[in-house]
Amino acid sequence: MNSRIIAAALALVATLTTTSPLLAHAFLDHSDPAVGSTVPSSPTVIHLWFTQELEPAFSWVTVSDQSGAAVTDGNATVDPSSPAEMTVKLKSLSPGTYTVKWHALSVDTHTTEGDFNFTVGKG
């Protein structure tokens, strides 16, 4: 009898202590323009949707051209009515390939970051 109680207690402890920390991370779910896409004309804003709600003060997005020059028009924002979405306005973009770099802090303090490209006007 005691061995069953001990086994159940150990199983409970193992379950509670081995939850994956990946479940709490804010990963990029999708974006507009889409990752790797080609758009016919300059977008005015980039939207990024994440798998978790973001902490706005510690999450950011930058967009740069092929020379590395920033093409954003202001800082990224997180809309309180859509806390898993981050947006940033863009300057008028010439045809070419652009790099989006993002850093996300989820509300439970786990950080993730990544980057992707999109192209304007070629395609």
Side-chain angles (χ1 to χ4, degrees):
M1 181 73 155
N2 284 341
S3 63
R4 286 185 178 172
I5 293 171
I6 292 171
L10 290 175
L12 177 62
V13 169
T15 300
L16 294 175
T17 59
T18 59
T19 56
S20 173
L22 293 176
L23 296 175
H25 288 56
F27 291 106
L28 180 66
D29 185 60
H30 64 284
S31 66
D32 183 22
V35 173
S37 67
T38 298
V39 294
S41 60
S42 175
T44 58
V45 65
I46 298 263
H47 298 269
L48 297 100
W49 288 272
F50 291 86
T51 58
Q52 298 282 324
E53 294 182 5
L54 304 175
E55 175 54 55
F58 301 101
S59 299
W60 49 263
V61 177
T62 63
V63 183
S64 58
D65 64 16
Q66 291 175 325
S67 71
V71 296
T72 52
D73 186 15
N75 293 326
T77 61
V78 176
D79 185 343
S81 67
S82 180
E85 178 185 358
M86 187 161 39
T87 61
V88 65
K89 293 179 182 175
L90 299 174
K91 298 175 182 175
S92 180
L93 305 181
S94 302
T97 299
Y98 295 86
T99 301
V100 178
K101 292 184 179 181
W102 55 267
H103 175 90
L105 176 66
S106 62
V107 292
D108 58 7
T109 71
H110 293 106
T111 60
T112 55
E113 58 188 23
D115 60 82
F116 65 89
N117 295 329
F118 72 93
T119 301
V120 174
K122 296 179 184 175

